[in-house]
Amino acid sequence: MARVALVTGGTRGIGAAISKALKAAGYKVAANYGGNDAAAEKFKSETDIPVYKWDVSSFDACSEGIKKVEAELGPIDVLINNAGITRDTAFHKMSLEQWSAVINTNLGSLFNMTRPIIEGMRARKFGRIINISSINGQKGQFGQVNYSAAKAGDIGFTKALALETAKAGITVNVICPGYINTEMVQAVPKDVLEKSILPLIPVGRLGEPEEIARTVVFLAADEAGAITGSTLSVNGGQYMA
């Protein structure tokens, strides 16, 4: 029977590529999203992947959303914590709201999503938890103290939980994308991209969402059970940790 995979932020950008790749690999996929109903409906109609709307920064919303997914598709075997937001500004101008929104969504969501699922994975002696962090959680980034702090926290979360769950057959890994060819990066002015960003990337190009998705499919496989607590950098050589 096909394993069930849940992808947060799974209807756009990197998340959409992950959802599609998991479906192509034979998983029953549920794609969570937070707010863009039009994009979610378009994604659903194009892929036939069911979509579920809830706020990953809310523990109660995650618990209820997960119950609905499991009632409709079955117990969740693979969890991809991909949802994230930015509220960029220099720290001396940062508001509490900008700090809290990013920390609660980009880091708090890992607890909110994983805690309701982990006991079922432990009981079944199988699970794959894959967290999507960022190059900026590894090296930091000007104007992103909130984002970098949350994404660095994702890495620490991964390592600690991997230690706790290894004997239960659950692996926990984290992927750190660099500059990926998504709508957000495409919005960067072309001259800035060509003069300030691409020269920093040794391979000389942006990554593609599908490259992140292939990494997820690899880590999600039953055959990847010896890989846990790992940080995989997909950044074209921009930062080597």
Side-chain angles (χ1 to χ4, degrees), residues 143-164:
Q144 287 195 329
V145 170
N146 49 4
Y147 185 84
S148 294
K151 292 300 187 179
D154 293 347
I155 297 170
F157 176 100
T158 297
K159 291 179 178 180
L161 187 59
L163 289 173
E164 293 189 14

Side-chain angles (χ1 to χ4, degrees), residues 5-227:
L6 172 58
V7 185
T8 68
T11 64
R12 299 171 63 196
I14 291 172
I18 292 170
S19 296
K20 293 174 186 177
L22 286 168
K23 182 181 179 182
Y27 294 82
K28 292 169 65 177
V29 180
N32 153 268
Y33 74 103
N36 193 325
D37 294 320
E41 287 304 314
K42 183 173 185 289
F43 172 85
K44 180 180 178 181
S45 66
E46 290 175 348
T47 64
D48 202 30
I49 293 172
V51 299
Y52 299 84
K53 183 179 181 180
W54 73 80
D55 177 6
V56 295
S57 71
S58 165
F59 181 79
D60 290 342
C62 290
S63 296
E64 290 304 311
I66 288 165
K67 286 178 184 177
K68 185 175 182 181
V69 170
E70 294 195 321
E72 295 181 2
L73 300 182
I76 294 165
D77 302 298
V78 179
L79 172 63
I80 315 299
N81 287 310
N82 168 73
I85 62 171
T86 57
R87 297 289 186 270
D88 296 351
T89 189
F91 184 73
H92 68 278
K93 298 179 181 179
M94 187 174 292
S95 68
L96 177 60
E97 188 281 328
Q98 289 171 315
W99 169 266
S100 298
V102 171
I103 295 296
N104 292 341
T105 299
N106 297 10
L107 177 57
S109 64
L110 270 61
F111 177 87
N112 297 339
M113 289 297 303
T114 307
R115 183 63 185 84
I117 288 173
I118 197 73
E119 290 184 46
M121 288 182 171
R122 290 174 64 89
R124 295 186 299 275
K125 299 295 183 183
F126 180 88
R128 297 285 184 264
I129 299 167
I130 303 165
N131 302 315
I132 308 299
S133 178
S134 167
I135 185 175
N136 293 338
Q138 297 174 296
K139 71 175 187 61
Q141 178 63 38
F142 186 94
Q144 287 195 329
V145 170
N146 49 4
Y147 185 84
S148 294
K151 292 300 187 179
D154 293 347
I155 297 170
F157 176 100
T158 297
K159 291 179 178 180
L161 187 59
L163 289 173
E164 293 189 14
T165 61
K167 290 185 178 180
I170 303 165
T171 66
V172 191
N173 294 288
V174 60
I175 299 170
C176 291
Y179 283 93
I180 305 299
N181 189 23
T182 61
E183 290 179 18
M184 183 170 65
V185 174
Q186 290 167 4
V188 174
K190 185 178 180 181
D191 62 323
V192 173
L193 188 66
E194 292 179 350
K195 295 178 182 178
S196 301
I197 295 176
L198 290 179
L200 300 177
I201 304 174
V203 300
R205 65 172 178 84
L206 300 175
E208 295 296 332
E210 291 75 17
E211 292 176 300
I212 306 299
R214 283 193 290 273
T215 310
V216 168
V217 172
F218 167 69
L219 291 173
D222 286 22
E223 296 83 0
I227 305 170

